[in-house]
Amino acid sequence: MLITKKNRRIIYENLFKEGVLVAKKDYNSPKHDDLDVPNLEVVKAMQSLTSKGYVKTQFSWQYYYYTLTNEGLEYLREWLHLPAEIVPATHKKAARPSRPAGRAGGGDGPYRAPRGDRDEYRRRDDGGGEKDAGAPGSYRPTYGGVGRGAPRE
């Protein structure tokens, strides 16, 4: 499909800036949801990049999800004449906030205060080795029914 260079540049710039692109499977839509380009041109431009191996395509619930590959990153960097320092948003490391210094404990998860109310639910032995909680030794349950559950005669 013939796509004007202006529209192709808009599509490629957005794909490079974000690293991902979403397009609805609506070929008659006058324009894409995020870009001022016909939706059909976006889908076909991404289809072209997918066939070259520059973009990975995932389709779900009538939406195309396009993800830029490493080869596609190099191709778009060359096509858009961008330096190597500029990378898509999906390739940037998110700055993690520093942890509070006054926190005790070294666990992986968030701090939880000790809960004393759980002791009520735990079974405690009073030192005696005998347990009276089970069924007596002479107890033999009977099963009624047919087949394997039928009582033996």
Side-chain angles (χ1 to χ4, degrees):
M1 176 177 194
L2 293 176
I3 302 173
T4 62
K5 192 161 186 169
K6 182 185 104 179
N7 286 352
R8 188 175 299 270
R9 185 171 209 49
I10 292 170
I11 295 166
Y12 286 0
E13 283 176 352
N14 188 29
L15 176 63
F16 189 86
K17 183 178 79 168
E18 300 295 330
V20 293
L21 187 72
V22 178
K24 187 174 184 179
K25 185 186 173 185
D26 182 10
Y27 302 128
N28 297 321
S29 177
K31 73 179 214 68
H32 185 264
D33 293 338
D34 300 330
L35 309 173
D36 194 25
V37 176
N39 196 48
L40 179 63
E41 291 184 4
V42 173
V43 172
K44 291 302 177 180
M46 292 296 106
Q47 188 178 34
S48 173
L49 291 177
T50 301
S51 68
K52 295 174 186 175
Y54 297 146
V55 171
K56 189 182 83 170
T57 303
Q58 179 72 39
F59 182 76
S60 178
W61 289 73
Q62 298 298 312
Y63 278 88
Y64 291 104
Y65 298 91
Y66 301 104
T67 308
L68 192 60
T69 63
N70 290 334
E71 295 83 21
L73 181 69
E74 295 302 318
Y75 172 76
L76 287 181
R77 186 173 281 140
E78 181 183 324
W79 198 90
L80 295 169
H81 307 293
L82 296 172
E85 299 87 46
I86 300 175
V87 292
T90 54
H91 290 239
K92 292 179 183 173
K93 297 281 184 184
R96 296 185 125 190
S98 61
R99 292 185 170 249
R103 208 169 101 174
D108 293 334
Y111 174 73
R112 294 179 79 169
R115 298 183 59 171
D117 59 342
R118 303 232 176 195
D119 293 335
E120 300 169 8
Y121 297 108
R122 295 195 174 106
R123 196 183 280 184
R124 294 189 182 264
D125 288 334
D126 293 332
E130 190 176 329
K131 291 185 178 180
D132 294 331
S138 63
Y139 177 70
R140 299 282 179 237
T142 57
Y143 300 102
V146 296
R148 293 183 178 181
R152 295 186 185 160
E153 293 182 27

